[in-house]
C-alpha cells in the first residue's frame, strides 16, 4: 500500500486502456507460473529467462546476436558489440541481487548497475555516477534531446523519492515509468538503455508480479522491434495521457511476450528438449 499521499503513478494506472493492459499482464504471468514445470524446475526457467532477456536487451542497444552465440561465448571483451552483450549478461545476473536495496536507495542500485555494465572499464571516472554537462553520451537507438546535468539530477531524485515513498499503482505502471524515465534521462555516459531495462526488471521482480524473474520483458521489447520501441518511447516523452498509456501498453505487451518465451521454455523442458 502506498505511504505517499501524493502518488502520481496511481493516476497513470487509470488512463484509458491501462487497467485492461494490467489485467491482461497479470493473467498471462499467472498462467506461466501455473505451468507444471515451474513446480520442480523453476530455477532452470529463471536462468534461461535471464539469458534470453540479456540477449534481447543487447539487441536493442545494437548488438543483435543469435541466442546460441550468446550462450556459447565466454569472452565478451572484444569489439563494441561483444562488450554490449557482456554488459547485458552481467546486468541480468546482478538484478536479482539488488532487490532489497532498491526500495531504500534506488540511486545506489542504479550506480551499481552502471558499474556492473561497465565491467573492466569500471575504473573510469564517469562510471557509476550521473553524467556531467559536456560529457559525451553513448546510447544507441535513443536520439531524443539530452536533458542537462541539473535536470538529470533533479529528475533522478524525484524518481528515487517516488520509489522510496512507495506507490499503490500496479507494478507494470511503476516499471514502465522507471524504464521510460531512465531512457529519457540517459543518466550515464554509457549503457543507460541497458540499465533502464534492468531497472524495469527489478521493479517487476521486487513488486511480486514476477518474483522468480521468469517473464523477461526485454525479450518482448526486442520482439516488437526497435522502431516500435522508439515510437512508444516518444509517447512517454510527450507526457500526454495518450502517449503515456501507449508506453505502458507497449511495456505490458513486452511482458506478455516474455511470458510467451518462458512458456515455450517450460514446454521444451517438459518434453526433455531443453
Amino acid at each position: 500500500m502506498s505511504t505517499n499521499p501524493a502518488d502520481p503513478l496511481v493516476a497513470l494506472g487509470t488512463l484509458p486502456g491501462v487497467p485492461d493492459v494490467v489485467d491482461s499482464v497479470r493473467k498471462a504471468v499467472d498462467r506461466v507460473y501455473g505451468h507444471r514445470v515451474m513446480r520442480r524446475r523453476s530455477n532452470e526457467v529463471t536462468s534461461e529467462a535471464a539469458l534470453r532477456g540479456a540477449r534481447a536487451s543487447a539487441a536493442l542497444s545494437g548488438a543483435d546476436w543469435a541466442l546460441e552465440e550468446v550462450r556459447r561465448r565466454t569472452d565478451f571483451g572484444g569489439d563494441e558489440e561483444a562488450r554490449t552483450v557482456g554488459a547485458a549478461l552481467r546486468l541480468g545476473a546482478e538484478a536479482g541481487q539488488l532487490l532489497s536495496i532498491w526500495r531504500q536507495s534506488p540511486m545506489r542500485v542504479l550506480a551499481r548497475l552502471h558499474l556492473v555494465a561497465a565491467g573492466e572499464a569500471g575504473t573510469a571516472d564517469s562510471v557509476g555516477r550521473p553524467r556531467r554537462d559536456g560529457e559525451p553520451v553513448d546510447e544507441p537507438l535513443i536520439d531524443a534531446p539530452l536533458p542537462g546535468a541539473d535536470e538529470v539530477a533533479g529528475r533522478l531524485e524525484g524518481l528515487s523519492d517516488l520509489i522510496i515513498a512507495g506507490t499503490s499503482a500496479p507494478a507494470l505502471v511503476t516499471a514502465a515509468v522507471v524504464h521510460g524515465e531512465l531512457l529519457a534521462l540517459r543518466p550515464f555516459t554509457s549503457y543507460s538503455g541497458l540499465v533502464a531495462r534492468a531497472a524495469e526488471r527489478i521493479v517487476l521482480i521486487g513488486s511480486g508480479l514476477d518474483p522468480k524473474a521468469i517473464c523477461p520483458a526485454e525479450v518482448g521489447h526486442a520482439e516488437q522491434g526497435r522502431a516500435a520501441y522508439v515510437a512508444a518511447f516518444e509517447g512517454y516523452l510527450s507526457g500526454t495521457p495518450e502517449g503515456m498509456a501507449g508506453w505502458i501498453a507497449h511495456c505490458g505487451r513486452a511482458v506478455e511476450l516474455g511470458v510467451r518465451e518462458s512458456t515455450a521454455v517450460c514446454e521444451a523442458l517438459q518434453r526433455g528438449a531443453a
Side-chain angles (χ1 to χ4, degrees):
M1 198 64 181
S2 173
T3 57
N4 183 359
D7 188 347
L9 300 185
V10 170
L12 296 179
T14 65
L15 290 173
V18 171
D20 290 339
V21 170
V22 168
D23 185 55
S24 178
V25 168
R26 176 77 268 176
K27 288 175 178 174
V29 172
D30 286 347
R31 282 195 297 273
V32 71
Y33 270 83
H35 197 287
R36 61 189 300 180
V37 164
M38 287 296 295
R39 290 198 292 270
R40 301 183 310 278
R41 305 179 70 177
S42 65
N43 287 344
E44 293 171 72
V45 182
T46 296
S47 295
E48 191 65 19
L51 180 73
R52 293 175 185 225
R55 189 219 73 80
S57 191
L60 286 168
S61 286
D64 192 0
W65 288 14
L67 180 64
E68 292 312 312
E69 175 69 4
V70 177
R71 198 189 304 279
R72 180 188 67 81
R73 286 282 285 267
T74 56
D75 176 20
F76 297 96
D79 59 21
E80 186 173 342
E81 283 197 8
R83 289 192 294 273
T84 297
V85 174
L89 286 167
R90 290 190 297 273
L91 286 172
E94 185 77 6
Q97 312 303 313
L98 299 171
L99 299 176
S100 62
I101 306 171
W102 176 252
R103 289 185 182 178
Q104 282 77 45
S105 183
M107 292 299 296
R108 276 182 58 202
V109 170
L110 293 175
R112 174 64 184 167
L113 289 173
H114 190 234
L115 189 67
V116 167
E120 291 180 359
T123 56
D125 171 63
S126 61
V127 171
R129 62 156 174 81
R131 58 184 172 79
R132 297 170 183 147
D133 282 331
E135 289 183 322
V137 175
D138 178 18
E139 187 47 55
L141 187 60
I142 304 300
D143 59 3
L146 274 172
D150 287 345
E151 183 180 346
V152 169
R155 287 170 64 175
L156 281 177
E157 184 177 351
L159 184 64
S160 179
D161 288 346
L162 273 177
I163 292 162
I164 292 168
T167 178
S168 55
L172 175 66
V173 171
T174 306
V177 168
V178 167
H179 182 172
E181 190 68 357
L182 292 174
L183 270 189
L185 297 178
R186 278 145 290 160
F188 303 111
T189 56
S190 61
Y191 300 126
S192 288
L194 293 180
V195 169
R197 292 184 287 274
E200 178 185 48
R201 171 180 283 253
I202 287 172
V203 174
L204 294 171
I205 299 167
S207 67
L209 178 64
D210 181 23
K212 293 183 184 292
I214 62 166
C215 306
E218 306 96 323
V219 168
H221 287 303
E223 194 168 322
Q224 291 178 88
R226 299 176 86 194
Y229 183 72
V230 171
F233 171 61
E234 287 173 353
Y236 177 87
L237 283 179
S238 75
T240 65
E242 296 80 9
M244 295 297 290
W247 171 247
I248 294 166
H250 182 90
C251 292
R253 181 61 179 153
V255 175
E256 290 184 321
L257 290 169
V259 166
R260 188 174 73 178
E261 185 88 354
S262 285
T263 301
V265 169
C266 287
E267 294 293 335
L269 288 169
Q270 187 167 288
R271 293 192 307 270

Short mmCIF file of all heavy atoms in Angstrom, two decimals, residues 136-185:
data_model
loop_
_atom_site.label_atom_id
_atom_site.label_comp_id
_atom_site.label_asym_id
_atom_site.label_seq_id
_atom_site.Cartn_x
_atom_site.Cartn_y
_atom_site.Cartn_z
N PRO A 136 30.36 13.19 -23.17
CA PRO A 136 29.69 12.51 -24.29
C PRO A 136 28.81 11.38 -23.78
O PRO A 136 29.10 10.74 -22.77
CB PRO A 136 30.86 11.97 -25.12
CG PRO A 136 32.00 11.84 -24.14
CD PRO A 136 31.81 12.94 -23.15
N VAL A 137 27.71 11.15 -24.48
CA VAL A 137 26.77 10.10 -24.11
C VAL A 137 26.67 9.11 -25.26
O VAL A 137 26.32 9.50 -26.39
CB VAL A 137 25.38 10.67 -23.77
CG1 VAL A 137 24.38 9.55 -23.51
CG2 VAL A 137 25.48 11.59 -22.56
N ASP A 138 26.97 7.86 -24.98
CA ASP A 138 26.88 6.81 -25.99
C ASP A 138 25.65 5.97 -25.69
O ASP A 138 25.66 5.14 -24.78
CB ASP A 138 28.15 5.94 -25.95
CG ASP A 138 28.09 4.79 -26.95
OD1 ASP A 138 27.25 4.87 -27.87
OD2 ASP A 138 28.86 3.82 -26.80
N GLU A 139 24.56 6.22 -26.41
CA GLU A 139 23.34 5.44 -26.21
C GLU A 139 22.70 5.13 -27.56
O GLU A 139 21.93 5.92 -28.09
CB GLU A 139 22.34 6.18 -25.30
CG GLU A 139 21.14 5.35 -24.94
CD GLU A 139 21.53 3.95 -24.49
OE1 GLU A 139 22.35 3.83 -23.54
OE2 GLU A 139 21.05 2.98 -25.08
N PRO A 140 23.04 3.97 -28.13
CA PRO A 140 22.47 3.61 -29.43
C PRO A 140 20.95 3.58 -29.36
O PRO A 140 20.36 3.29 -28.32
CB PRO A 140 23.04 2.20 -29.67
CG PRO A 140 24.21 2.08 -28.76
CD PRO A 140 23.91 2.93 -27.57
N LEU A 141 20.33 3.89 -30.46
CA LEU A 141 18.89 3.80 -30.66
C LEU A 141 18.13 5.05 -30.20
O LEU A 141 17.24 5.51 -30.89
CB LEU A 141 18.31 2.56 -29.95
CG LEU A 141 16.84 2.22 -30.19
CD1 LEU A 141 16.58 1.98 -31.67
CD2 LEU A 141 16.41 1.00 -29.38
N ILE A 142 18.46 5.58 -29.03
CA ILE A 142 17.71 6.72 -28.50
C ILE A 142 18.46 8.01 -28.83
O ILE A 142 19.57 8.24 -28.36
CB ILE A 142 17.54 6.60 -26.96
CG1 ILE A 142 16.86 5.28 -26.61
CG2 ILE A 142 16.75 7.78 -26.43
CD1 ILE A 142 15.49 5.08 -27.21
N ASP A 143 17.82 8.85 -29.65
CA ASP A 143 18.49 10.11 -30.02
C ASP A 143 17.64 11.33 -29.66
O ASP A 143 17.79 12.40 -30.25
CB ASP A 143 18.85 10.12 -31.50
CG ASP A 143 17.63 9.97 -32.41
OD1 ASP A 143 16.50 9.90 -31.88
OD2 ASP A 143 17.81 9.91 -33.64
N ALA A 144 16.74 11.17 -28.70
CA ALA A 144 15.95 12.30 -28.21
C ALA A 144 16.89 13.32 -27.56
O ALA A 144 18.00 12.99 -27.14
CB ALA A 144 14.93 11.82 -27.20
N PRO A 145 16.46 14.57 -27.49
CA PRO A 145 17.31 15.60 -26.85
C PRO A 145 17.72 15.18 -25.44
O PRO A 145 16.93 14.62 -24.68
CB PRO A 145 16.39 16.83 -26.81
CG PRO A 145 15.43 16.62 -27.94
CD PRO A 145 15.20 15.14 -28.01
N LEU A 146 18.98 15.47 -25.13
CA LEU A 146 19.51 15.09 -23.82
C LEU A 146 19.22 16.17 -22.78
O LEU A 146 19.60 17.33 -22.98
CB LEU A 146 21.03 14.91 -23.91
CG LEU A 146 21.57 13.56 -24.34
CD1 LEU A 146 23.07 13.68 -24.56
CD2 LEU A 146 21.28 12.49 -23.31
N PRO A 147 18.60 15.83 -21.67
CA PRO A 147 18.45 16.80 -20.58
C PRO A 147 19.82 17.17 -20.02
O PRO A 147 20.76 16.37 -20.04
CB PRO A 147 17.63 16.04 -19.54
CG PRO A 147 17.01 14.89 -20.26
CD PRO A 147 17.97 14.54 -21.36
N GLY A 148 19.94 18.39 -19.52
CA GLY A 148 21.18 18.82 -18.90
C GLY A 148 21.41 18.13 -17.57
O GLY A 148 20.50 17.50 -17.00
N ALA A 149 22.63 18.25 -17.05
CA ALA A 149 23.01 17.54 -15.83
C ALA A 149 22.14 17.92 -14.64
O ALA A 149 21.77 17.07 -13.83
CB ALA A 149 24.49 17.79 -15.52
N ASP A 150 21.80 19.20 -14.51
CA ASP A 150 20.96 19.62 -13.39
C ASP A 150 19.57 18.99 -13.47
O ASP A 150 19.02 18.56 -12.45
CB ASP A 150 20.84 21.15 -13.35
CG ASP A 150 22.12 21.82 -12.88
OD1 ASP A 150 22.99 21.11 -12.33
OD2 ASP A 150 22.24 23.05 -13.06
N GLU A 151 19.02 18.94 -14.67
CA GLU A 151 17.70 18.31 -14.84
C GLU A 151 17.78 16.82 -14.54
O GLU A 151 16.88 16.26 -13.90
CB GLU A 151 17.17 18.54 -16.25
CG GLU A 151 15.77 17.97 -16.44
CD GLU A 151 15.22 18.20 -17.84
OE1 GLU A 151 15.79 19.02 -18.60
OE2 GLU A 151 14.21 17.56 -18.18
N VAL A 152 18.85 16.19 -15.00
CA VAL A 152 19.03 14.76 -14.73
C VAL A 152 19.05 14.51 -13.22
O VAL A 152 18.36 13.63 -12.70
CB VAL A 152 20.33 14.23 -15.38
CG1 VAL A 152 20.66 12.83 -14.88
CG2 VAL A 152 20.18 14.23 -16.90
N ALA A 153 19.84 15.31 -12.51
CA ALA A 153 19.96 15.13 -11.07
C ALA A 153 18.61 15.33 -10.38
O ALA A 153 18.21 14.55 -9.50
CB ALA A 153 20.99 16.10 -10.50
N GLY A 154 17.88 16.36 -10.78
CA GLY A 154 16.59 16.65 -10.16
C GLY A 154 15.56 15.57 -10.43
O GLY A 154 14.82 15.15 -9.52
N ARG A 155 15.52 15.08 -11.67
CA ARG A 155 14.53 14.06 -12.01
C ARG A 155 14.90 12.70 -11.41
O ARG A 155 14.01 11.92 -11.03
CB ARG A 155 14.36 13.98 -13.53
CG ARG A 155 13.57 15.17 -14.07
CD ARG A 155 13.58 15.27 -15.56
NE ARG A 155 12.91 14.14 -16.23
CZ ARG A 155 12.73 14.08 -17.55
NH1 ARG A 155 13.16 15.09 -18.33
NH2 ARG A 155 12.14 13.05 -18.09
N LEU A 156 16.18 12.41 -11.33
CA LEU A 156 16.59 11.17 -10.64
C LEU A 156 16.19 11.20 -9.18
O LEU A 156 15.72 10.20 -8.62
CB LEU A 156 18.10 10.97 -10.76
CG LEU A 156 18.64 10.41 -12.08
CD1 LEU A 156 20.16 10.36 -12.03
CD2 LEU A 156 18.07 9.03 -12.39
N GLU A 157 16.37 12.36 -8.55
CA GLU A 157 15.98 12.49 -7.15
C GLU A 157 14.46 12.31 -7.00
O GLU A 157 13.99 11.65 -6.07
CB GLU A 157 16.40 13.87 -6.63
CG GLU A 157 16.11 14.06 -5.13
CD GLU A 157 16.59 15.40 -4.60
OE1 GLU A 157 17.29 16.11 -5.33
OE2 GLU A 157 16.26 15.72 -3.44
N GLY A 158 13.71 12.89 -7.93
CA GLY A 158 12.26 12.74 -7.88
C GLY A 158 11.83 11.29 -8.07
O GLY A 158 10.93 10.80 -7.36
N LEU A 159 12.47 10.60 -9.00
CA LEU A 159 12.16 9.18 -9.23
C LEU A 159 12.51 8.37 -7.99
O LEU A 159 11.73 7.49 -7.56
CB LEU A 159 12.95 8.68 -10.44
CG LEU A 159 12.68 7.24 -10.87
CD1 LEU A 159 11.25 7.06 -11.35
CD2 LEU A 159 13.67 6.83 -11.97
N SER A 160 13.65 8.63 -7.41
CA SER A 160 14.08 7.94 -6.20
C SER A 160 13.09 8.16 -5.06
O SER A 160 12.70 7.21 -4.35
CB SER A 160 15.48 8.41 -5.80
OG SER A 160 15.91 7.79 -4.62
N ASP A 161 12.65 9.40 -4.90
CA ASP A 161 11.68 9.72 -3.84
C ASP A 161 10.38 8.95 -4.03
O ASP A 161 9.77 8.47 -3.06
CB ASP A 161 11.41 11.22 -3.80
CG ASP A 161 12.58 12.03 -3.27
OD1 ASP A 161 13.50 11.43 -2.68
OD2 ASP A 161 12.58 13.27 -3.44
N LEU A 162 9.93 8.85 -5.28
CA LEU A 162 8.71 8.10 -5.58
C LEU A 162 8.84 6.64 -5.16
O LEU A 162 7.93 6.05 -4.56
CB LEU A 162 8.40 8.16 -7.07
CG LEU A 162 7.58 9.33 -7.60
CD1 LEU A 162 7.46 9.22 -9.12
CD2 LEU A 162 6.20 9.36 -6.97
N ILE A 163 9.95 6.05 -5.49
CA ILE A 163 10.16 4.63 -5.19
C ILE A 163 10.25 4.41 -3.68
O ILE A 163 9.66 3.47 -3.13
CB ILE A 163 11.43 4.12 -5.90
CG1 ILE A 163 11.20 4.13 -7.42
CG2 ILE A 163 11.80 2.70 -5.42
CD1 ILE A 163 12.47 4.07 -8.23
N ILE A 164 10.98 5.29 -3.00
CA ILE A 164 11.15 5.14 -1.55
C ILE A 164 9.82 5.36 -0.83
O ILE A 164 9.48 4.63 0.12
CB ILE A 164 12.23 6.12 -1.03
CG1 ILE A 164 13.60 5.71 -1.57
CG2 ILE A 164 12.24 6.14 0.50
CD1 ILE A 164 14.68 6.76 -1.36
N ALA A 165 9.03 6.33 -1.29
CA ALA A 165 7.74 6.60 -0.66
C ALA A 165 6.76 5.47 -0.87
O ALA A 165 5.90 5.21 -0.04
CB ALA A 165 7.17 7.90 -1.21
N GLY A 166 6.91 4.77 -1.98
CA GLY A 166 6.00 3.67 -2.27
C GLY A 166 4.82 4.14 -3.09
O GLY A 166 4.48 5.33 -3.11
N THR A 167 4.19 3.22 -3.77
CA THR A 167 3.05 3.54 -4.61
C THR A 167 2.07 2.40 -4.60
O THR A 167 2.45 1.24 -4.42
CB THR A 167 3.51 3.82 -6.06
OG1 THR A 167 2.36 4.10 -6.86
CG2 THR A 167 4.24 2.63 -6.66
N SER A 168 0.81 2.72 -4.77
CA SER A 168 -0.21 1.69 -4.90
C SER A 168 -0.56 1.46 -6.36
O SER A 168 -1.50 0.72 -6.68
CB SER A 168 -1.46 2.05 -4.10
OG SER A 168 -1.95 3.33 -4.50
N ALA A 169 0.20 2.09 -7.27
CA ALA A 169 0.00 1.85 -8.70
C ALA A 169 0.40 0.42 -9.03
O ALA A 169 1.25 -0.18 -8.36
CB ALA A 169 0.84 2.83 -9.51
N PRO A 170 -0.18 -0.15 -10.08
CA PRO A 170 0.22 -1.51 -10.49
C PRO A 170 1.71 -1.58 -10.81
O PRO A 170 2.31 -0.59 -11.26
CB PRO A 170 -0.62 -1.75 -11.74
CG PRO A 170 -1.79 -0.83 -11.62
CD PRO A 170 -1.26 0.39 -10.92
N ALA A 171 2.28 -2.75 -10.60
CA ALA A 171 3.72 -2.95 -10.84
C ALA A 171 4.10 -2.60 -12.27
O ALA A 171 5.16 -2.01 -12.52
CB ALA A 171 4.10 -4.39 -10.53
N LEU A 172 3.25 -2.95 -13.21
CA LEU A 172 3.55 -2.67 -14.61
C LEU A 172 3.70 -1.17 -14.84
O LEU A 172 4.60 -0.74 -15.57
CB LEU A 172 2.44 -3.23 -15.51
CG LEU A 172 2.59 -2.88 -17.00
CD1 LEU A 172 3.83 -3.55 -17.59
CD2 LEU A 172 1.35 -3.27 -17.78
N VAL A 173 2.85 -0.37 -14.24
CA VAL A 173 2.90 1.08 -14.40
C VAL A 173 4.21 1.62 -13.82
O VAL A 173 4.90 2.42 -14.46
CB VAL A 173 1.68 1.75 -13.72
CG1 VAL A 173 1.84 3.26 -13.69
CG2 VAL A 173 0.39 1.35 -14.43
N THR A 174 4.55 1.17 -12.62
CA THR A 174 5.79 1.63 -12.00
C THR A 174 7.00 1.23 -12.84
O THR A 174 7.91 2.04 -13.07
CB THR A 174 5.93 1.04 -10.59
OG1 THR A 174 4.76 1.36 -9.83
CG2 THR A 174 7.14 1.60 -9.87
N ALA A 175 7.02 -0.01 -13.31
CA ALA A 175 8.14 -0.50 -14.12
C ALA A 175 8.27 0.31 -15.40
O ALA A 175 9.38 0.66 -15.83
CB ALA A 175 7.95 -1.97 -14.43
N ALA A 176 7.14 0.62 -16.04
CA ALA A 176 7.16 1.37 -17.29
C ALA A 176 7.69 2.79 -17.07
O ALA A 176 8.46 3.31 -17.88
CB ALA A 176 5.76 1.42 -17.89
N VAL A 177 7.30 3.41 -15.96
CA VAL A 177 7.76 4.76 -15.67
C VAL A 177 9.26 4.77 -15.35
O VAL A 177 10.00 5.64 -15.85
CB VAL A 177 6.95 5.37 -14.51
CG1 VAL A 177 7.59 6.67 -14.00
CG2 VAL A 177 5.52 5.65 -14.96
N VAL A 178 9.71 3.83 -14.56
CA VAL A 178 11.15 3.74 -14.25
C VAL A 178 11.95 3.56 -15.54
O VAL A 178 12.95 4.25 -15.79
CB VAL A 178 11.42 2.59 -13.26
CG1 VAL A 178 12.91 2.29 -13.17
CG2 VAL A 178 10.88 2.96 -11.87
N HIS A 179 11.51 2.64 -16.37
CA HIS A 179 12.17 2.37 -17.65
C HIS A 179 12.17 3.63 -18.52
O HIS A 179 13.22 4.06 -19.03
CB HIS A 179 11.40 1.23 -18.32
CG HIS A 179 11.97 0.78 -19.63
ND1 HIS A 179 11.49 -0.33 -20.29
CD2 HIS A 179 12.92 1.29 -20.44
CE1 HIS A 179 12.15 -0.49 -21.42
NE2 HIS A 179 13.02 0.48 -21.53
N GLY A 180 10.99 4.24 -18.70
CA GLY A 180 10.88 5.40 -19.57
C GLY A 180 11.68 6.59 -19.07
O GLY A 180 12.32 7.30 -19.86
N GLU A 181 11.65 6.82 -17.77
CA GLU A 181 12.36 7.97 -17.22
C GLU A 181 13.87 7.82 -17.38
O GLU A 181 14.57 8.78 -17.73
CB GLU A 181 11.98 8.15 -15.74
CG GLU A 181 12.46 9.44 -15.12
CD GLU A 181 11.79 10.70 -15.65
OE1 GLU A 181 10.95 10.62 -16.58
OE2 GLU A 181 12.14 11.79 -15.14
N LEU A 182 14.37 6.62 -17.16
CA LEU A 182 15.82 6.41 -17.32
C LEU A 182 16.24 6.52 -18.78
O LEU A 182 17.33 7.01 -19.08
CB LEU A 182 16.22 5.06 -16.72
CG LEU A 182 16.10 4.99 -15.19
CD1 LEU A 182 16.37 3.57 -14.70
CD2 LEU A 182 17.05 5.97 -14.51
N LEU A 183 15.38 6.07 -19.69
CA LEU A 183 15.68 6.25 -21.11
C LEU A 183 15.68 7.73 -21.47
O LEU A 183 16.53 8.20 -22.24
CB LEU A 183 14.64 5.54 -21.97
CG LEU A 183 14.85 4.09 -22.39
CD1 LEU A 183 13.79 3.70 -23.42
CD2 LEU A 183 16.24 3.83 -22.94
N ALA A 184 14.71 8.46 -20.92
CA ALA A 184 14.62 9.89 -21.22
C ALA A 184 15.85 10.64 -20.72
O ALA A 184 16.37 11.53 -21.39
CB ALA A 184 13.35 10.46 -20.60
N LEU A 185 16.30 10.28 -19.53
CA LEU A 185 17.42 11.00 -18.90
C LEU A 185 18.77 10.56 -19.45
O LEU A 185 19.71 11.37 -19.50
CB LEU A 185 17.39 10.78 -17.39
CG LEU A 185 16.17 11.34 -16.65
CD1 LEU A 185 16.26 11.00 -15.17
CD2 LEU A 185 16.05 12.84 -16.86
#
